Amino acid sequence: MPDPLPRLETRCLIRPADLPPSRDDFEVVGTFNPAAVQLDDGSVVMLVRVAERPTETRDGFVASPRYNDLGEIEIDWIDADLVTTNDPRMAIFKDTGFKRLTFINHLRVVRFASDGVTITKVGPIVDYRADHATFGLEDPRITRIGSVYAVTAVGASHHGVCTVLLTTTDFTHFDDLGIIFCRENKDVVLFPEKIDGHYVAIHRPTGKFEVTQPEMWLAYSPDLHFWGDHQPLWGSGDGAASVGGSSGSWDDGRIGGGVPPIRTERGWLKIYHASCKPGPGEPIGVYAAGALLLDLDCPTRVLAASPDAFMRPEEDFEKIGFVKAVVFPTGYAMQGDDIQLYYGAADTNVGVVRYRLADLLDSLVPVGTPA
């Protein structure tokens, strides 16, 4: 299905071959889901999730790398008869259902010129060592709040997945504020300014006790450390019910905050990702992107929403990869009247797509109004 919103330009910015692994006996299998922020001089800084795995293979075994207590990578070799590997991202134990990743993650700094697409420097790996991130850091987001850049990222370990917060002023030195949303919570994005005296986050709690479709929630904090006043914001299928669209068919699998909220004259533009339920034999469904418009003073109030996904996998590099058919927007930069969205493609590549901001805003339908 083609995009309902016309793309002005699409590029594959970074592929696995473009970034070196952290060690010689590993290979990069994914460079994707990048956090991105535009600096005052117009240049763009990106934190790219890099997934790598050992090049060594052993018959009858599955490799699962992890960081040990010293921050060094160790490889556990799991008996292949004990696990299923239908999902290439993980080995799932047959007896317990517990999962181990088949790769390990780190974040790497990449800098771009003011056009947002020309790489000027590939920087260092973000050094992060913690018991709640023994499989590395994943899926970062960057929000500028005053003079500080706040980075949320997912820590993955045998404890599950949680969200940690880092702050930086130069993307060279990072301060660790620790876990801000514990397991199982991810896809956390921060608003770029306080609302009614509080920091505000959109997060995505999940759990095994499922009584509803996946949802995004809001939370508030006085200091970025402690979060409360949790309340649901938007869930899978809400678009179909509220704006007369077909949201239930494209977002009934997963949903989560994608790009940090963008202040516009009409309200907070919130671009999010979602996936449909997988078909028979498929590990996950197709990932696409939608958008919301939230009230500037009361972000719990949804003013308008996409009647359907405005961005779907179209290009080969979005359809073919480590996980097929994924567009996963995670950052943005402005180029005049256009918005450049940075996204993970097929859990393999970094892409950028450009839209007219006005077209995107105009495509949203007031909540409660038939499309």
Side-chain angles (χ1 to χ4, degrees), residues 11 53 101 110 123 139 187 194 235 259 277-278 282 291 330 365:
R11 296 192 191 193
R53 67 186 177 193
L101 296 181
V110 180
D139 300 352
D187 295 324
K194 289 183 177 181
V259 178
K277 290 182 178 179
E282 296 287 343
T330 44
V365 177

Side-chain angles (χ1 to χ4, degrees), residues 6 18 47 57 65 77 84 125-126 128 141 169 198-199 203 217 229 233 315:
D18 297 331
L47 291 175
T57 59
W77 293 95
T84 60
I125 295 172
V126 177
Y128 191 86
R141 311 290 201 277
T169 58
H198 288 81
Y199 298 101
H203 62 107
W217 283 55
D229 195 15
L233 173 65
E315 304 290 336

Side-chain angles (χ1 to χ4, degrees), residues 86-87 249-250 252-254 275-287 323-325:
N86 295 332
D87 187 332
S249 62
W250 75 275
D252 58 0
R254 298 181 182 182
S275 68
C276 60
K277 290 182 178 179
E282 296 287 343
I284 63 172
V286 175
Y287 269 84
V323 178
K324 67 178 184 179

Side-chain angles (χ1 to χ4, degrees), residues 38-50:
Q38 194 167 25
L39 305 186
D40 288 338
D41 62 1
S43 64
V44 173
V45 176
M46 187 177 288
L47 291 175
V48 180
R49 174 182 172 184
V50 179

Side-chain angles (χ1 to χ4, degrees), residues 10-232:
T10 305
R11 296 192 191 193
C12 184
L13 285 183
I14 302 175
R15 299 178 185 272
D18 297 331
L19 297 182
S22 64
R23 45 192 267 181
D24 292 340
D25 59 340
F26 272 54
E27 62 179 350
V28 174
V29 295
T31 49
F32 58 111
N33 297 1
V37 68
Q38 194 167 25
L39 305 186
D40 288 338
D41 62 1
S43 64
V44 173
V45 176
M46 187 177 288
L47 291 175
V48 180
R49 174 182 172 184
V50 179
E52 55 183 359
R53 67 186 177 193
T55 54
E56 179 186 358
T57 59
R58 297 182 184 179
D59 290 340
F61 290 89
V62 177
S64 180
R66 59 178 171 82
Y67 292 104
N68 62 22
D69 293 340
L70 300 176
E72 302 167 338
I73 297 178
E74 292 187 1
I75 303 170
D76 296 328
W77 293 95
I78 302 170
D79 187 332
D81 290 334
L82 301 178
V83 296
T84 60
T85 55
N86 295 332
D87 187 332
R89 302 171 299 175
M90 59 190 68
I92 304 175
F93 285 90
K94 297 176 182 177
D95 57 346
T96 64
F98 292 161
K99 302 171 182 177
R100 284 290 302 268
L101 296 181
T102 56
F103 54 86
I104 199 165
N105 298 284
H106 65 259
L107 305 183
R108 186 162 300 179
V109 180
V110 180
R111 294 180 180 268
F112 292 81
S114 59
D115 61 3
V117 296
T118 302
I119 295 176
T120 59
K121 183 179 180 180
V122 175
I125 295 172
V126 177
D127 185 17
Y128 191 86
R129 305 176 188 182
D131 185 53
H132 53 263
T134 51
F135 303 142
L137 290 181
E138 306 175 358
D139 300 352
R141 311 290 201 277
I142 304 171
T143 301
R144 180 174 175 174
I145 304 176
S147 60
V148 173
Y149 297 97
V151 180
T152 58
V154 174
S157 73
H158 62 284
H159 297 296
V161 296
C162 61
T163 296
V164 303
L165 179 62
L166 310 176
T167 59
T168 184
T169 58
D170 57 9
F171 292 96
T172 299
H173 304 92
F174 293 84
D175 293 320
D176 179 16
L177 277 66
I179 297 173
I180 58 171
F181 290 93
C182 66
R183 61 168 296 194
E184 297 279 330
N185 207 317
K186 59 190 303 186
D187 295 324
V188 175
V189 293
L190 303 180
F191 283 70
E193 61 189 67
K194 289 183 177 181
I195 298 176
D196 197 22
H198 288 81
Y199 298 101
V200 186
I202 295 174
H203 62 107
R204 200 278 302 277
T206 60
K208 292 184 178 180
F209 186 64
E210 296 180 353
V211 295
T212 186
Q213 298 276 29
E215 295 178 325
M216 292 180 284
W217 283 55
L218 282 170
Y220 295 81
S221 172
D223 56 8
L224 291 176
H225 287 270
F226 302 102
W227 294 86
D229 195 15
H230 300 275
Q231 47 196 295

